[in-house]
Amino acid sequence: SHSARVHVPVLNLYSQPDTNSEVVSQALYGWKVVIQDLFQHFYLIQTADGYQGWVEGKSVRESSSLIETFKKVKVIYNAVP
């Protein structure tokens, strides 16, 4: 499982990996979630308060990519005299 952050203002969690299925919960921008499974372009995630549902993969950012972004920012920052 990978931790990730919600990257959209309001994220619907669906009962199935399909945006036409029932919305079972919502998560908000910046919330930390855990990616538990993958199906096509959907992730099965769990929120910190225990809710589970399917979301579009583009709606969350894995922490590893955030770390890479921070590294790049730090390099740029350190390059400034």
Side-chain angles (χ1 to χ4, degrees):
S1 64
H2 298 279
S3 61
R5 296 256 178 203
V6 177
H7 202 66
V8 294
V10 179
L11 178 60
N12 287 332
L13 278 64
Y14 296 96
S15 60
Q16 303 292 325
D18 178 355
T19 54
N20 293 317
S21 64
E22 181 188 0
V23 174
V24 292
S25 188
Q26 290 183 321
L28 301 178
Y29 182 85
W31 280 20
K32 189 175 181 183
V33 298
V34 177
I35 298 171
Q36 298 185 316
D37 202 358
L38 174 66
F39 179 77
Q40 294 175 358
H41 65 284
F42 283 87
Y43 290 150
L44 177 63
I45 66 162
Q46 184 167 350
T47 59
D49 55 0
Y51 287 96
Q52 194 177 50
W54 292 92
V55 301
E56 291 185 275
K58 65 186 178 188
S59 306
V60 296
R61 291 282 184 274
E62 291 189 62
S63 297
S64 57
S65 59
L66 280 177
I67 291 164
E68 290 304 314
T69 302
F70 288 137
K71 283 181 184 171
K72 287 174 189 166
V73 170
K74 187 176 180 190
V75 168
I76 292 165
Y77 179 77
N78 287 345
V80 176

